[in-house]
Amino acid sequence: QVQLVESGGGLVQPGGSLRLSCAASGTIFGIHAMGWYRQAPGKQRELVATSTGGGSIAYADSVKGRFTISRDNAKNTAILQMDSLKPEDTAVYYCNAVVQSRWDQGPYVYWGQGTQVTVSS
């Protein structure tokens, strides 16, 4: 079993910054990808940023140039640095990981519990 624990959400004024962290723990043979999704009230969950084990990174068009995803593979963590935040970035942010627990099992998709990000003056 794998657990994802997120931290770093909160309230920030427009133009401000927040840093989200996600740590994966449990039985981990390898992590194929880690990323962040978000879901605003009344909207579908959408991809924000993802980083694969091979080093490929992708961002939603709406956050390009403002958000940066990074990973520490030794610690099984992913960081989302969010700068120049806008009110439309307000959402619950979920960590996502594609994890292989054993060489002959998976990979499986896991989700964190979500952390609220509110951008408001």
Side-chain angles (χ1 to χ4, degrees), residues 1-93:
Q1 194 59 275
V2 174
Q3 297 80 39
L4 302 180
V5 178
E6 302 141 338
S7 61
L11 172 65
V12 65
Q13 292 186 342
S17 298
L18 281 176
R19 184 173 180 267
L20 303 184
S21 177
C22 175
S25 62
T27 304
I28 298 174
F29 177 77
I31 298 179
H32 293 252
M34 290 187 78
W36 294 90
Y37 287 69
R38 67 186 180 186
Q39 188 167 19
K43 294 187 177 181
Q44 290 187 334
R45 190 173 296 189
E46 63 175 2
L47 172 70
V48 176
T50 186
S51 173
T52 70
S56 297
I57 291 177
Y59 295 98
D61 288 343
S62 59
V63 307
K64 284 181 180 177
R66 301 187 297 120
F67 291 11
T68 304
I69 187 171
S70 60
R71 284 177 59 181
D72 184 333
N73 291 326
K75 296 182 180 179
N76 293 329
T77 60
I79 303 294
L80 185 68
Q81 178 66 39
M82 305 186 292
D83 299 316
S84 302
L85 282 160
K86 303 176 181 179
E88 50 263 44
D89 293 319
T90 295
V92 178
Y93 284 68

